[in-house]
């Protein structure tokens, strides 16, 4: 298709375009023209497997014309039918909204939830072999297709290793030089690969909290894998492994689980929340 302006203008509204980044700058420009011509909100739903406006191959921007929502894997609230108003209760009268609310879950339940993660495709699977195959296939597809579409990857095999190192060091400051040495990469390549992993929603960085704004913005962040089930897969651990008290992977996986649940609940929270 050589002229995408008529393509963007035709059809009923709202119109959903999946994997919009694959259309390149010309498709983004055509959508921009359509929105500028008819500025009614809600005309397009644009989805993709990457933060498409941060993809280096796209120079066009929809700034001021679009609202961006991150679609995370399923939360525990969604999986169990539980309430998703944690932040409202947390900040209601200094946390009094949480008073008297206990958990019916035991330690085993939390360990199982950590290892299951939230990918809808994985949750129904009962075979450990099939689950491992799904995760391996998912990572291969994201690296060889999604990342390769917008980046030149010199060492494809290094990306899963780097992702595994992020999973192993969850909760620790993100020291690029240390990661580079462990992954057998130079610092620039490591920083670039970390950016690619963030672009395709496999990792997220969390800044440290400080009452000093300058210190808050300059202190080293922490990096996490965006799904605790994927992190457990990368570390090669099972619920049975984590039953052992003092297992070295449990602390990082628990912190990953807590962070990702907070990120999911924040998307539906009536209270504006920043996570540090």
């Amino acid at each position: 298709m050589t002229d995408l302006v008529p393509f963007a203008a035709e059809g009923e509204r709202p119109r959903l375009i999946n994997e919009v980044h694959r259309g390149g700058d010309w498709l983004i420009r055509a959508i921009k023209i359509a929105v500028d011509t008819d500025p009614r909100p809600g005309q397009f739903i644009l989805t993709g497997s990457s933060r498409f406006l941060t993809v280096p191959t796209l120079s066009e921007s929809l700034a001021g014309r679009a609202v961006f929502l991150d679609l995370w894997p399923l939360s525990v609230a969604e999986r169990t039918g539980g309430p998703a108003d944690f932040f409202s209760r947390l900040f209601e009268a200094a946390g009094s909204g949480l008073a008297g609310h206990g958990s019916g879950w035991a330690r085993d339940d939390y360990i199982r939830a950590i290892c299951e993660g939230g990918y809808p495709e994985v949750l129904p699977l009962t075979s450990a072999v099939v689950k491992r195959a799904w995760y391996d296939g998912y990572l291969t597809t994201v690296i060889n297709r999604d990342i390769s579409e917008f980046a030149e990857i010199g060492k494809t095999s290094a990306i899963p290793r780097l992702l595994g190192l992020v999973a192993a060091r969850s909760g620790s400051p993100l020291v690029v030089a240390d990661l580079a040495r462990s992954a057998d990469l130079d610092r620039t390549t490591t920083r670039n690969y970390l950016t690619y992993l963030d672009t395709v929603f496999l990792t997220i960085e969390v800044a440290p909290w400080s009452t000093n704004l300058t210190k808050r913005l300059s202190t080293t962040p922490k990096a996490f894998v965006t799904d605790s089930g994927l992190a457990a897969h990368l570390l090669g651990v099972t619920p049975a492994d984590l039953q052992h008290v003092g297992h070295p992977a449990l602390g990082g996986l628990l912190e990953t689980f807590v962070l990702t649940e907070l990120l999911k609940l924040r998307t539906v929270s009536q209270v504006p929340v920043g996570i540090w």
Side-chain angles (χ1 to χ4, degrees):
M1 185 177 295
T2 56
D3 188 358
L4 292 173
V5 174
F7 170 77
E10 70 179 16
E12 298 293 328
R13 300 294 192 267
R15 189 171 181 198
L16 190 149
I17 302 177
N18 188 32
E19 300 293 353
V20 65
H21 58 284
R22 294 188 179 179
D25 269 338
W26 288 108
L27 177 57
I28 303 298
R29 289 172 184 168
I31 293 170
K32 184 176 180 180
I33 291 171
V35 172
D36 287 345
T37 302
D38 182 357
R40 289 176 300 162
Q43 295 189 63
F44 292 93
I45 301 172
L46 310 177
T47 67
S49 53
S50 63
R51 304 179 194 274
F52 66 89
L53 290 185
T54 65
V55 170
T57 54
L58 293 180
S59 60
E60 194 55 67
S61 170
L62 293 177
R65 298 172 176 84
V67 174
F68 298 94
L69 299 173
D70 290 334
L71 184 62
W72 299 102
L74 294 176
S75 68
V76 170
E78 290 174 301
R79 290 166 50 193
T80 63
D85 60 346
F86 172 76
F87 286 119
S88 297
R89 291 189 285 127
L90 177 66
F91 293 107
E92 175 188 321
S96 63
L98 294 177
H101 291 270
S103 173
W105 279 21
R107 183 174 185 273
D108 291 356
D109 297 315
Y110 285 103
I111 287 176
R112 184 177 64 254
I114 288 170
C115 291
E116 286 177 345
Y119 288 119
E121 299 86 354
V122 175
L123 293 172
L125 302 178
T126 57
S127 167
V129 174
V130 175
K131 285 185 179 182
R132 286 196 299 270
W134 187 91
Y135 281 121
D136 288 338
Y138 174 68
L139 290 173
T140 299
T141 301
V142 171
I143 293 167
N144 292 335
R145 188 193 67 182
D146 294 344
I147 295 180
S148 297
E149 279 187 351
F150 63 80
E152 188 76 28
I153 304 175
K155 295 183 178 180
T156 303
S157 61
I159 292 187
R161 186 164 66 251
L162 183 61
L163 189 60
L165 289 169
V166 172
R169 301 177 188 192
S170 294
S172 301
L174 177 61
V175 182
V176 175
D178 188 29
L179 278 175
R181 282 192 297 271
S182 299
D184 193 24
L185 298 168
D186 62 72
R187 291 182 62 175
T188 301
T189 300
T190 301
R191 183 72 264 181
N192 288 339
Y193 284 7
L194 288 171
T195 300
Y196 302 157
L197 290 171
D198 179 81
T199 299
V200 294
F201 298 101
L202 286 178
T203 61
I204 187 168
E205 293 185 12
V206 180
W209 167 254
S210 172
T211 54
N212 184 301
L213 179 60
T214 301
K215 183 178 180 182
R216 193 191 315 169
L217 296 176
S218 61
T219 308
T220 304
K222 296 179 180 181
F224 295 85
V225 176
T226 51
D227 182 78
S228 61
L230 176 59
H233 167 76
L234 290 164
L235 298 178
V237 298
T238 66
D241 297 327
L242 298 180
Q243 294 297 335
H244 300 291
V245 176
H247 192 286
L250 181 55
L253 287 173
L254 177 60
E255 190 166 349
T256 299
F257 174 73
V258 171
L259 170 66
T260 53
E261 287 300 308
L262 292 175
L263 290 170
K264 297 165 189 176
L265 292 173
R266 182 175 65 172
T267 62
V268 296
S269 173
Q270 298 300 310
V271 180
V273 176
I275 297 178
W276 303 82

